[in-house]
Amino acid sequence: MARTGKDGKVRFGLIGCGEIAMRSLEAIQKDKECSVIAAVQDVNEPLAKDMGAKASAPYFTDVAKLFEIEDLDAVVISTPHFLHAPLTIQAAKAGKHVACEKPIACTLEQADEMIAAG
């Protein structure tokens, strides 16, 4: 994965700021030499704001704003599973690498669309 940060780190965005996303935050923060949280997003503003504070990163309630960050390398999608396919496809169209919590999708067709978008 290409690193766009001036510091040579992989710049991650977290989509979804619930309990599962905390595990991703902790893992990325453990690897401070190679990765950093560049932004977080959740439709629930208090959750997004809290996660942004924990990550020392800007927060958004609109996922499109997160995808506009040019030097964002990848996103970790930790949302309800019915949102995995549309968010993964949107991320791929924005040129971002994607890590997605399981299950990957609700149907095999959605999973195939996600793979094709990448």
Side-chain angles (χ1 to χ4, degrees):
M1 176 182 316
R3 299 174 183 182
T4 59
K6 295 175 188 170
D7 54 8
K9 296 179 181 181
V10 176
R11 298 173 49 78
F12 285 94
L14 299 181
I15 300 175
C17 295
E19 187 176 332
I20 296 298
M22 285 300 300
R23 304 293 176 245
S24 297
L25 173 69
E26 292 166 1
I28 292 167
Q29 287 181 328
K30 276 186 182 179
D31 190 13
K32 292 179 183 180
E33 291 183 28
C34 297
S35 58
V36 65
I37 302 292
V40 302
Q41 184 277 330
D42 198 289
V43 296
N44 180 320
E45 187 168 14
L47 275 179
K49 185 176 183 179
D50 183 58
M51 182 72 80
K54 289 176 181 167
S56 299
Y59 74 90
F60 301 93
T61 57
D62 181 353
V63 75
K65 297 290 185 191
L66 182 131
F67 291 136
E68 290 174 2
I69 301 172
E70 286 188 31
D71 64 348
L72 187 71
D73 300 306
V75 296
V76 179
I77 299 174
S78 301
T79 61
H81 61 274
F82 67 90
L83 295 172
H84 290 180
L87 287 170
T88 296
I89 293 165
Q90 193 175 356
K93 287 181 179 178
K96 310 306 181 194
H97 295 278
V98 178
C100 186
E101 291 292 331
K102 62 183 182 180
I104 187 172
C106 295
T107 67
L108 179 58
E109 292 77 18
Q110 286 179 339
D112 288 340
E113 290 174 14
M114 293 164 75
I115 293 165

